[in-house]
Amino acid sequence: MNDRIKEAFDRVHAGEELKDKTREFLAGKTGGYTKRAKNSYRPLVSAAVCLLLLVFGGNWFYFTPTAKISIDVNPSLELGINRFDRVVAVEAYNEDGRELAALLDIRFMEYREAVSQILENERVVALLSQDEIMTITVMESRGNQSVRILSDMESCVSEYKNTYCYSADSREVAPAHEHGMSCGKYRAFLEVQKLCPDITPEEIRGMTMREIRDLVDGIPGKEEESHHEEATAGENENRNETNMRSDGHKGRSHHDNGNGQRRGHGHDE
């Protein structure tokens, strides 16, 4: 009986047309399952891409400085400040600056606290007590951040002698670094160069801020130029007052000394 059943099934053969249709049917079914499987990964891929953008984009957003604070005595340091007012970079521009930076742990601090720590550092305190000069220069940034930082720096140094605050053009950053100088010392170099065109960046680079000030004070013709500026300012003021009286108005004139004018509350002693 079993042998007869086996022989009957052995004689059953599928035709080629039936085989082709069966293959098409199975291929369609399998392709559909594969497509659905692929589609199920798409949300995961999108989530992974968003996570990567968040991580790397967030790093760029946080770690990109939007303003710089240059602090110069003989140690020359630059602090990179991000849009959240945090110190995200500490760069030294001479050996004394590197030694000072090694003593500091100010990265990621709020910039006011970071600058206070620098002012209270033993080396800096010792230098200022020896009649050295410190300058704090704020590189301008877009918006009001640099204006606010400069105002805060003036408040920070109000109780310190021989300490001054300045603002400088952000376009000076690149040439300063090309000459191996902090932005604050490069600003001082530009001021000296106005009075002494033959001065070189290399000569200024190794000087302390006190030495630069003494150099400026010793340049021949500086006093005469200062008297000339004061006389010109007086003539302009008298002319303005005369014009206002002739117009029947009263007012007060002021003189803009330009970008980079000293604004600190520090004083020489």
Side-chain angles (χ1 to χ4, degrees):
M1 177 69 176
N2 290 335
D3 291 338
R4 288 198 298 269
I5 294 173
K6 182 177 181 302
E7 290 175 1
F9 276 102
D10 287 341
R11 289 194 293 269
V12 176
H13 297 284
E16 292 301 322
E17 182 179 355
L18 179 59
K19 290 180 182 180
D20 291 339
K21 289 182 178 181
T22 302
R23 290 192 192 100
E24 291 176 4
F25 175 78
L26 293 175
K29 287 294 184 182
T30 304
Y33 296 145
T34 303
K35 184 176 181 181
R36 283 194 294 273
K38 288 181 179 178
N39 288 341
S40 66
Y41 288 109
R42 287 182 179 176
L44 296 177
V45 172
S46 298
V49 170
C50 290
L51 180 61
L52 290 173
L53 289 174
L54 181 63
V55 171
F56 292 105
N59 281 343
W60 173 85
F61 192 75
Y62 186 88
F63 288 101
T64 299
T66 52
K68 285 182 178 289
I69 301 175
S70 179
I71 301 175
D72 299 275
V73 188
N74 188 34
S76 287
L77 292 177
E78 272 187 15
L79 310 182
I81 313 301
N82 70 6
R83 65 192 71 245
F84 304 107
D85 293 340
R86 296 283 171 173
V87 177
V88 292
V90 180
E91 300 176 72
Y93 284 89
N94 56 14
E95 186 59 35
D96 288 339
R98 284 184 283 274
E99 291 178 3
L100 178 58
L103 298 173
L104 301 172
D105 185 18
I106 57 175
R107 200 159 182 241
F108 306 125
M109 277 188 183
E110 199 272 340
Y111 69 80
R112 282 176 288 251
E113 183 181 357
V115 172
S116 293
Q117 283 208 13
I118 294 173
L119 290 170
E120 294 167 5
N121 179 268
E122 290 182 359
R123 291 193 179 189
V124 174
V125 170
L127 287 168
L128 293 178
S129 68
Q130 296 165 11
D131 203 36
E132 291 292 344
I133 289 176
M134 171 184 279
T135 66
I136 298 179
T137 307
V138 179
M139 300 296 107
E140 293 183 352
S141 62
R142 294 183 179 180
N144 296 321
Q145 186 183 28
S146 60
V147 176
R148 174 166 44 81
I149 291 175
L150 181 61
S151 177
D152 288 337
M153 292 301 96
E154 290 172 350
S155 297
C156 281
V157 304
S158 61
E159 301 301 323
Y160 291 85
K161 70 172 186 176
N162 299 338
T163 307
Y164 305 97
C165 294
Y166 299 86
S167 64
D169 196 320
S170 59
R171 289 174 295 184
E172 295 174 9
V173 173
H177 295 172
E178 287 174 4
H179 290 296
M181 288 190 281
S182 67
C183 296
K185 187 163 281 190
Y186 185 72
R187 184 209 60 78
F189 160 70
L190 294 178
E191 291 299 313
V192 175
Q193 193 179 48
K194 291 178 183 178
L195 301 171
C196 183
D198 295 333
I199 198 78
T200 66
E202 289 71 26
E203 292 176 274
I204 294 295
R205 188 165 55 207
M207 291 183 176
T208 68
M209 300 310 289
R210 165 58 73 185
E211 289 171 340
I212 294 173
R213 171 66 67 83
D214 291 344
L215 173 65
V216 170
D217 291 342
I219 294 176
K222 178 181 180 295
E223 185 175 352
E224 290 76 3
E225 181 179 343
S226 176
H227 289 323
H228 175 71
E229 289 178 353
E230 291 176 1
T232 302
E235 291 174 3
N236 290 337
E237 185 171 357
N238 290 335
R239 188 180 301 113
N240 289 336
E241 290 178 355
T242 301
N243 291 338
M244 284 187 288
R245 283 196 298 269
S246 64
D247 291 336
H249 298 289
K250 293 183 179 180
R252 182 180 64 181
S253 63
H254 68 279
H255 303 284
D256 183 3
N257 291 317
N259 191 38
Q261 174 67 26
R262 187 177 75 201
R263 295 186 57 187
H265 298 288
H267 54 279
D268 292 331
E269 290 185 0

